[in-house]
Amino acid sequence: QQQVKQSPQSLIVQKGGISIINCAYENTAFDYFPWYQQFPGKGPALLIAIRPDVSEKKEGRFTISFNKSAKQFSLHIMDSQPGDSATYFCAATKYSGGGADGLTFGKGTHLIIQP
Amino acid sequence: DVKVTQSSRYLVKRTGEKVFLECVQDMDHENMFWYRQDPGLGLRLIYFSYDVKMKEKGDIPEGYSVSREKKERFSLILESASTNQTSMYLCASWDSLNTEAFFGQGTRLTVV
């Protein structure tokens, strides 16, 4: 049972373009949705996160859009740069539980930004 | 800076061997996790622990066990390694105050 579905599996974007990665979740108990970024040879690191009380959160060039009724959320990378080339994972957990049960991850998106 | 250290970056073990993967965190976090990462499958939770000597099964615990004798150390044990356990193993420590997971660099295990 895949509780967080992520697409696309891979994505190629030209430098300066907008990268968009989508996720959908099934468990309505989830109320915290982070995105993690992973570079080769490194563990994933938190990029940005959102709770369902807002529909959008922006940090620099990175924006999460959240649609509670559709149970979907997406990551937008504006003005994509070669340094953004990495694997991106969406995730979900129960914020009220402090995330103590762990994060449920999507399968990941391998993003390549072409110069 | 939070630091999560995994004892080995690369391991090669033979089928049937008992394998220990060690993880240490330096931020006094209560919750720690073991994930395995496989291409096209993302990160899947094997086991987690929310206190010393406490453990909970994740989504794919079969063939694995864990040990947490001290708060800072969380070990993953493969009782009898099999080739289908060849994978990247990631340990994480959970900052419940800031709702953030801190990952180690991973151990790439190959079972031959």
Side-chain angles (χ1 to χ4, degrees):
Chain A
Q1 178 185 356
Q2 185 187 354
Q3 296 196 58
V4 179
K5 295 182 179 180
Q6 182 172 347
S7 63
Q9 190 171 359
S10 61
L11 181 62
I12 299 174
V13 175
Q14 295 297 314
K15 178 182 176 181
I18 302 173
S19 304
I20 301 173
I21 305 170
N22 300 298
C23 282
Y25 63 99
E26 300 170 1
N27 188 343
T28 54
F30 289 151
D31 59 0
Y32 179 70
F33 305 93
W35 286 88
Y36 280 75
Q37 180 187 53
Q38 184 181 32
F39 293 105
K42 302 288 187 182
L46 179 65
L47 181 64
I48 187 172
I50 196 169
R51 296 200 61 205
D53 51 344
V54 295
S55 60
E56 185 175 283
K57 183 174 182 180
K58 183 175 181 180
E59 290 184 3
R61 296 184 294 108
F62 301 91
T63 299
I64 300 179
S65 297
F66 185 81
N67 185 330
K68 188 175 181 179
S69 61
K71 292 190 287 185
Q72 295 175 347
F73 58 109
S74 60
L75 176 69
H76 295 235
I77 306 174
M78 311 300 287
D79 186 27
S80 299
Q81 299 297 311
D84 297 330
S85 297
T87 300
Y88 292 81
F89 294 96
C90 62
T93 191
K94 300 174 207 173
Y95 185 89
S96 56
D101 294 343
L103 294 163
T104 299
F105 285 90
K107 292 186 176 182
T109 297
H110 183 51
L111 174 64
I112 296 173
I113 306 301
Q114 289 188 332
Chain B
D1 273 357
V2 174
K3 195 167 185 180
V4 179
T5 304
Q6 295 184 230
S7 55
S8 303
R9 291 294 303 273
Y10 301 95
L11 277 178
V12 180
K13 297 292 182 181
R14 295 193 179 278
T15 301
E17 277 194 77
K18 190 169 185 176
V19 181
F20 292 85
L21 303 183
E22 307 287 343
C23 175
V24 177
Q25 53 101 356
D26 66 357
M27 279 301 292
D28 202 36
H29 291 161
E30 294 181 345
N31 301 317
M32 297 184 73
F33 306 87
W34 275 105
Y35 290 88
R36 66 175 280 177
Q37 180 176 9
D38 300 288
L41 296 179
L43 281 74
R44 293 178 291 167
L45 183 62
I46 304 171
Y47 265 96
F48 63 100
S49 170
Y50 51 87
D51 202 352
V52 174
K53 297 192 183 295
M54 305 301 288
K55 61 184 179 183
E56 294 287 342
K57 293 180 180 179
D59 298 319
I60 51 164
E62 295 78 18
Y64 303 95
S65 63
V66 290
S67 172
R68 192 158 181 209
E69 296 296 320
K70 294 185 178 181
K71 192 174 186 179
E72 66 271 20
R73 187 179 298 272
F74 191 34
S75 303
L76 180 69
I77 304 160
L78 287 68
E79 296 290 343
S80 177
S82 63
T83 55
N84 63 12
Q85 292 177 311
T86 291
S87 185
M88 171 69 81
Y89 290 87
L90 289 163
C91 174
S93 173
W94 180 257
D95 179 350
S96 56
L97 186 65
N98 295 300
T99 331
E100 181 175 352
F102 292 89
F103 284 86
Q105 289 193 304
T107 297
R108 183 164 295 280
L109 173 68
T110 302
V111 182
V112 297

